[in-house]
Amino acid sequence: MSDIRLPQDLRGVHIHFVGIKGTGMAALVEIFHHNGAVITGSDVSERFYTDEILEKLNLKALEFSGKNITDDIQYVIYSSAYKIDKNPDLIEAVRRGIPCLLYTQALGSYSAGAYSCGVCGVHGKTSTTGLTGTILKELPVAAQTLAGSIINSFGATCTYTSPLIKNLSEDSKKYFVAETCEYQRHFMSFCPQKIILTSVESDHQDFYPTYESIRDAFVDYICRLPSGGELIYCADDPGAVETAGIAAKKRNDIVMIPYGVKADGDFKLVSSAVENECQVFSCSLIPELKITVPGKHEVLDALAATALACRILAADKKNPLDYVEQIKKGLLNFTGGKRRSEKIGSFKTSSGNSVLVIDDYGHHPTAIKTTLEGYRQFYKGRKIIVDFMSHTYSRTQSLLKEFASSFENADVVVLHKIYASARENIADFNITGKTLYEQAKLYHKDVNYFEEILDAVPFVKNLLEQNPGTNYPDGYLLVTMGAGDNWKLGKTIIESYGVNR
């Protein structure tokens, strides 16, 4: 980690953000703004959803230029998308000797000044962080939460800051819960007191060529916990269990807190059911918890969030059982986040069919499989059409069979070309979107391929006009899924029916 440290008191400190429109960057801007920092920033002119976040703070991104770096700037924070020797803002900042920190270093530096809790795992980080923050909104603790995407219950922003933060006395704890990312070991800059580990399996094959390499990164992160620090891990995920076991052998001074069906203790999942498009579940400590988002994986995420909220209350010398109703209210208030089972519209077709359109960021075979399983259970009366765009050639090639067999809970599958990463050379791979299409046909009877996203619009609209059949009295569920830009399909279809999103 960089030796540069941000001051613990950010009031009046002028910080310039290079790449300010990035999701993580905009979230950090929000956190620092609430801590009294003076903020400027630069980015490309193209409009992103984060522009709305910045505008709420009366901030506007400047175009990249060395002229943005003025005498009163004390620190520069930059996105990893920009190079210190290529970006004009950064070149000028270096010339002036202004301390420059990567986003992950800045997040780590901030975490060192608070009682910080990191949420990590290959799947479920954003939902778990959002659920935790939504519970914390209901609790009397001075807390801030930073998620990797917009969370509806945060007020359509990426962060939540408790009003108690403003009047915090010097001897009181400030709690900071943040989504922390495994890619390129970014989370190693973070300084956690507690960690949630949702899942561990092979991913980011461009950086972690083997399962063992990504598992060991999580082990190293867990070992950043101090003596007496707590690991809240999913007992139902084999990778998380293995990772926790290795960490426990290395560090017997870390407190291990499992959650899930296979867990022992307070956060064992003892029952779970779907009732009226609501998931009702109980753990050993608290009965009758409810969430309104679909999927068994969301129940586990909610259980992890409940566990962390309870442990934060305990750290704040409060009895969690005194706050059961507040915890329940927080869980019910969570309605998801941007591109996380996000309901983006509903309409009736010309033939009278009801259509619900959901967009989801699921881009790993396990996420696709579990998310579609959740939709099948939650929306029993709807015929499911999934439009999927695979992200990165390396991931698609490494997990081709897993991707191809992950759509079993969809009635109709629509596939496209691969959405490449800027980090990879397409010539290095011998697969295309059609390769996945041919493999998927081995596992699913109704798979369709359109190279370009919007070429699928007429096909999907024609499908939505057809009678879904007696098995599906509630109509259709159209899901756009993946880390690419095929969300445009759902948006275009909604708009073609004259519906304002």
Side-chain angles (χ1 to χ4, degrees), residues 7-52:
Q8 287 198 21
D9 186 352
L10 292 173
R11 286 174 293 185
V13 177
H14 188 166
I15 304 171
H16 183 75
F17 284 76
V18 176
I20 194 171
K21 294 185 185 183
T23 302
M25 293 282 279
L28 201 58
V29 165
E30 286 186 272
I31 292 288
F32 286 8
H33 172 84
H34 285 298
N35 282 270
V38 176
I39 293 165
T40 54
S42 55
D43 212 314
V44 296
S45 58
E46 183 184 350
R47 187 169 179 84
F48 294 93
Y49 72 86
T50 50
D51 278 291
E52 293 179 21

Side-chain angles (χ1 to χ4, degrees), residues 25 47 90-91 158 169 256 269 332 341 389 397 429 472:
M25 293 282 279
R47 187 169 179 84
L90 293 172
I91 290 169
C158 302
S169 61
M256 298 288 172
L269 183 64
L332 262 180
S341 291
M389 188 177 208
Q397 185 162 292
F429 301 93
Y472 304 113

Side-chain angles (χ1 to χ4, degrees), residues 21 39 52 86 223 240 242 259 418 497:
K21 294 185 185 183
I39 293 165
E52 293 179 21
K86 298 277 175 62
C223 289
E242 182 185 5
Y259 67 91
I418 295 170
Y497 280 94

Side-chain angles (χ1 to χ4, degrees), residues 91 115 124 126 132 161 243 268 273 293-294 351 369 379 447 475:
I91 290 169
Y115 191 104
T126 302
T132 305
T161 296
T243 303
K268 178 179 178 60
V293 287
S351 55
K369 189 179 176 68
Y379 300 107
V447 186

Side-chain angles (χ1 to χ4, degrees), residues 133-187:
T134 310
I135 296 171
L136 292 175
K137 283 183 74 174
E138 304 301 320
L139 299 176
V141 291
Q144 288 187 298
T145 308
L146 183 153
S149 184
I150 283 178
I151 302 297
N152 300 332
S153 48
F154 288 179
T157 67
C158 302
T159 68
Y160 164 70
T161 296
S162 165
L164 298 174
I165 290 280
K166 280 188 177 178
N167 302 314
L168 199 62
S169 61
E170 283 188 19
D171 59 343
S172 299
K173 286 178 182 167
K174 176 176 74 177
Y175 298 93
F176 180 49
V177 177
E179 179 175 339
T180 56
C181 182
E182 71 276 8
Y183 185 62
Q184 295 184 342
R185 290 178 164 247
H186 285 157
F187 51 22

